[in-house]
């Protein structure tokens, strides 16, 4: 009488596509560039006011790659030790638009 469907069998069905759309990728690149621009603006404002660079800005420049320097693998995927190839799409991370995922373990 009733056909078993995925929501009936297992509860909530998350419909997350397995890869990012071109629009999502463009927005991700735009977000990364916006963060780079904010850090550049803060550094320029400190320099114009004759103040020394803060440790956090210096650390950002030393450790974090810019959007242009990042590999596509690092822009659109994150390291996850539970995944088969240790990588999963960044859109599968909760609140992926709010967190910075620029650094991943080397070799993965």
């Amino acid at each position: 009488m009733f056909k078993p469907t995925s929501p009936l069998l297992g509860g909530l069905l998350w419909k997350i596509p397995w890869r990012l759309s071109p629009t999502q990728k463009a927005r991700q690149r735009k977000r990364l560039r916006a963060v780079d621009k904010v850090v550049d603006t803060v550094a320029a404002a400190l320099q114009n006011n004759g103040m020394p660079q803060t440790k956090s800005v210096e650390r950002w420049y030393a450790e974090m790659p810019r959007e242009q320097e990042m590999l596509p693998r690092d822009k659109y995927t994150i390291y996850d030790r539970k995944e088969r190839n240790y990588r999963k799409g960044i859109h599968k991370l909760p609140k992926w638009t709010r967190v910075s995922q620029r650094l991943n373990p080397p070799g993965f």
Side-chain angles (χ1 to χ4, degrees):
M1 177 157 211
F2 292 104
K3 222 160 92 171
T5 60
S6 295
L8 291 176
L9 290 175
L12 182 62
L13 177 65
W14 291 92
K15 294 186 178 181
I16 301 174
W18 65 279
R19 64 177 163 189
L20 288 168
S21 70
T23 311
Q24 286 174 313
K25 286 184 177 184
R27 287 189 184 130
Q28 173 68 2
R29 289 190 304 271
K30 187 177 178 181
R31 277 190 291 272
L32 290 170
R33 284 193 302 266
V35 172
D36 290 338
K37 189 174 178 183
V38 167
V39 175
D40 291 341
T41 304
V42 169
L46 288 172
Q47 188 177 15
N48 287 343
N49 290 336
M51 299 173 72
Q53 288 283 346
T54 60
K55 288 184 181 180
S56 57
V57 173
E58 289 175 4
R59 185 171 175 217
W60 180 272
Y61 282 131
E63 294 177 6
M64 297 290 187
R66 299 185 71 79
E67 186 265 335
Q68 296 86 0
E69 299 168 353
M70 292 176 71
L71 297 172
R73 183 185 71 191
D74 290 333
K75 287 184 198 177
Y76 310 125
T77 62
I78 56 167
Y79 173 78
D80 186 18
R81 63 187 170 94
K82 298 183 292 290
E83 289 292 316
R84 194 166 105 211
N85 292 328
Y86 301 105
R87 287 269 173 180
K88 71 178 182 181
I90 195 169
H91 64 295
K92 302 214 175 181
L93 177 74
K95 300 179 182 169
W96 64 281
T97 59
R98 299 183 197 175
V99 291
S100 176
Q101 293 292 330
R102 292 184 187 234
L103 295 179
N104 289 288
F108 290 104

